[in-house]
Amino acid sequence: MTDSNFQSGPARANAEQIRSFLTNLRSIEKAWAMLDAIERGAPGDIEEAVNLAGASAPTLTRAAALLSDSDPARAHRVLEQAVALDAAPAPAQLALARSFRAKGDDAEASRWLRGAMLRARPDAALLLELATIESEYARELVDVARSLPCRDARTAEAAAAMLIAAGSRKEARIASDIAFQAGARGADFLTGYSDLLADPQMHEDPPLPNGPLGMPHWWNVATHAAQVLLARAHPPSTLAPALQAREASAAWVDRDALAPLLADRIARAEPFSWIRLGDGEARFLLHLHPALRSAIPERETEGMARQIWHVWFGQDITTIAPEELATLGQRLDQAIHSADLLGVSSVERLTNDANHYGFCASLELYLRDLLGDQPGKLVTDSCFHTMLNEREPFLSSLLSGLDFLGVISPHPELAGRLQRKLGIGAVRHYDIPGEGRLDRPQEHGNRGSHFPQTYKRIMAEIDVPRRGAVFLVAGGLLGKIYCDRVRELGGIALDIGALADAWMGYNTRGGALHTAMRWQLPA
């Protein structure tokens, strides 16, 4: 017994067959979602799901399992209905479809692929694959694919590439949207997707998905493309030996030595700056230094820079005068060069962080050029600030009982809360606009005001009351320069970054702050 969409014959599928198939596919997905809800305890009608899933043996089998306790007789009849669908299982049909495709028989490939899809939970990726075969119905197929879950990013990515090659660019753009949301991150895929997004004709039909924090979606795609192209240009084998040697040297401050080092500097009351660098700073430096980004096309370079600047400041970097950016870059160079302790990427992070490796690798090349005359500069893991917090919440062993603490952050109450929690004498807070990831009302109101306006004011206002006075700085890119200014004035600056957000109850870094969220300062 076969369903009406699983037909033999040499002809390609006609419009009626395709539309009947899509109707069945939508019904199966609806039934599957209903059974999901029922399994979670929500009210629902299993009989309705059975009626919707008439062409899908797996869905009927699942419905029977849910009926087995309450109505075993009905469950048995549903199972008989399922086994009456006596076609080969989905994996076999899918393999056969791809074998026919390899032989050039698209008609049989289409027939068996549709059969496979009706015998498993609907997946957008396979519908996109069908669109590469049924070119006459490609738009209708990819439109339906948008409403289905995609569990196979690789197949979706391959389908997008095939649609581009076939000249079906609008369909390819939709397929690329689906593949990207499912996690496709191949270099060729991302550059092809970026090409599509650069075409104004691709933007309206359908509308592009929204980017994070209100950014254009293409900035996000361009950033991912830049990252994978940089990773390809700087393989770990070329960097790892030097980084391993660094971590084996006397210049490396390991996790057990970091707190004693900082405590010693505070006790000695000598000017000191600890700043941390990561993939965000790398993107800005790549924007400023063409030699660092020779592996990236200009469009991806532009999108990368606009994306990170928008996250930081809520403004478009292209609205900032190039000479202002160049001056800022020089001041950042100075802050890094003058820092007494640099937080950098460890070998472990470079080995395991596939999402940021390319940026962090480029940062290492920049540091090698900038610090060539300082081979012994102290370095540590840029993530160790969270480790310090785990061992000593709120850095209590370093800060408790201080006579003064300065704080530069987007949290006006942070200094006072630390004062009460840790018994600190005097405090002073320098309020700056926060990153968009904080997403509070004030971030919606102060976008674009941090640089250059607030930055110039803070640089002029920082006042170090005595030599060795301690400052905590949570200011992103500009925070590195604020740390350097504190050091210039005789103070001690500790770059705590988004740890300040966690202390105030905001997780702005996902898993990286998950543990830190255990410790929040009481009001």
Side-chain angles (χ1 to χ4, degrees), residues 246 277 285 292 336-337 342-345 360-373 379:
R246 180 172 69 189
L277 304 171
L285 292 164
L292 287 176
I336 295 170
H337 200 275
L342 280 180
V344 295
S345 298
C360 294
S362 300
L363 179 62
E364 288 298 326
L365 300 179
Y366 160 83
L367 291 174
R368 182 191 64 191
D369 292 341
L370 181 71
L371 304 176
D373 61 342
V379 286

Side-chain angles (χ1 to χ4, degrees), residues 275-288:
I275 65 174
R276 300 172 309 99
L277 304 171
D279 59 281
E281 289 75 32
R283 297 178 212 188
F284 177 65
L285 292 164
L286 283 159
H287 177 70
L288 292 184

Side-chain angles (χ1 to χ4, degrees), residues 104-449:
D105 190 340
D106 282 356
E108 287 298 286
S110 172
R111 180 168 78 91
W112 288 101
L113 181 55
R114 283 178 282 131
M117 279 188 276
L118 292 175
R119 283 159 183 83
R121 181 165 189 178
D123 192 320
L126 293 181
L127 203 54
L128 296 177
E129 185 174 341
L130 182 63
T132 70
I133 300 172
E134 296 290 354
S135 56
E136 186 176 351
Y137 310 106
R139 181 55 189 266
E140 191 170 354
L141 292 166
V142 299
D143 278 342
V144 174
R146 294 170 63 214
S147 66
L148 300 177
C150 181
R151 292 176 289 275
D152 186 351
R154 184 171 295 181
T155 293
E157 179 179 329
M162 293 180 71
L163 289 166
I164 292 174
S168 302
R169 288 177 61 80
K170 289 192 174 183
E171 292 77 11
R173 203 225 81 193
I174 300 170
S176 297
D177 295 344
I178 294 169
F180 183 79
Q181 295 301 323
R185 294 296 185 270
D188 293 338
F189 164 73
L190 288 167
T191 52
Y193 189 19
S194 184
D195 285 340
L196 291 171
L197 296 177
D199 183 347
Q201 296 182 8
M202 299 294 106
H203 292 187
E204 301 299 332
D205 186 20
L208 282 169
N210 293 326
L213 303 177
M215 292 181 288
H217 178 60
W218 78 268
W219 294 2
N220 193 28
V221 174
T223 298
H224 283 284
Q227 198 286 130
V228 297
L229 291 170
L230 288 166
R232 192 160 64 180
H234 307 300
S237 59
T238 65
L239 288 176
L243 301 189
Q244 288 166 345
R246 180 172 69 189
E247 293 184 25
S249 74
W252 182 258
V253 180
D254 66 24
R255 65 180 66 223
D256 293 325
L258 181 56
L261 171 72
L262 297 176
D264 176 68
R265 295 304 190 272
I266 292 172
R268 288 159 54 182
E270 294 180 355
F272 182 84
S273 172
W274 170 33
I275 65 174
R276 300 172 309 99
L277 304 171
D279 59 281
E281 289 75 32
R283 297 178 212 188
F284 177 65
L285 292 164
L286 283 159
H287 177 70
L288 292 184
H289 300 288
L292 287 176
R293 53 178 165 84
S294 58
I296 318 175
E298 283 303 310
R299 183 178 61 250
E300 279 66 39
T301 297
E302 179 189 350
M304 170 197 69
R306 295 173 80 173
Q307 187 261 3
I308 192 61
W309 196 266
H310 182 88
V311 170
W312 284 335
F313 306 120
Q315 64 189 154
D316 191 338
I317 196 171
T318 62
T319 66
I320 307 297
E323 55 270 22
E324 280 198 284
L325 292 176
T327 299
L328 180 64
Q330 292 166 5
R331 195 65 177 81
L332 180 62
D333 289 347
Q334 175 186 318
I336 295 170
H337 200 275
S338 300
D340 301 278
L341 176 64
L342 280 180
V344 295
S345 298
S346 64
V347 172
E348 182 180 3
R349 179 180 182 186
L350 280 171
T351 302
N352 297 312
D353 188 355
N355 291 328
H356 302 102
Y357 170 82
F359 295 132
C360 294
S362 300
L363 179 62
E364 288 298 326
L365 300 179
Y366 160 83
L367 291 174
R368 182 191 64 191
D369 292 341
L370 181 71
L371 304 176
D373 61 342
Q374 291 183 292
K377 180 184 283 291
L378 292 178
V379 286
T380 191
D381 190 317
S382 61
C383 297
F384 275 178
H385 62 312
T386 58
M387 178 274 297
L388 282 181
N389 186 61
E390 290 174 24
R391 294 184 174 184
E392 296 278 354
F394 316 116
L395 312 188
S396 57
S397 66
L398 300 175
L399 306 180
S400 291
L402 290 178
D403 63 341
F404 171 85
L405 179 68
V407 179
I408 304 174
S409 87
H411 302 287
E413 298 177 356
L414 177 56
R417 292 190 186 188
L418 285 168
Q419 181 183 38
R420 293 187 291 275
K421 179 70 176 177
L422 302 178
I424 296 169
V427 296
R428 180 169 181 186
H429 190 272
Y430 297 83
D431 190 28
I432 58 175
E435 292 184 358
R437 282 176 283 212
L438 281 167
D439 200 31
R440 303 171 300 185
Q442 52 264 53
E443 275 72 52
H444 293 283
N446 63 20
R447 298 299 74 200
S449 64

Side-chain angles (χ1 to χ4, degrees), residues 70-120:
S70 60
D71 191 348
R74 177 59 179 141
H76 183 81
R77 292 194 298 273
V78 171
L79 287 172
E80 289 181 326
Q81 182 181 346
V83 299
L85 298 169
D86 57 353
Q93 293 196 40
L94 178 58
L96 185 59
R98 289 172 175 168
S99 180
F100 273 120
R101 184 79 185 276
K103 293 172 63 175
D105 190 340
D106 282 356
E108 287 298 286
S110 172
R111 180 168 78 91
W112 288 101
L113 181 55
R114 283 178 282 131
M117 279 188 276
L118 292 175
R119 283 159 183 83

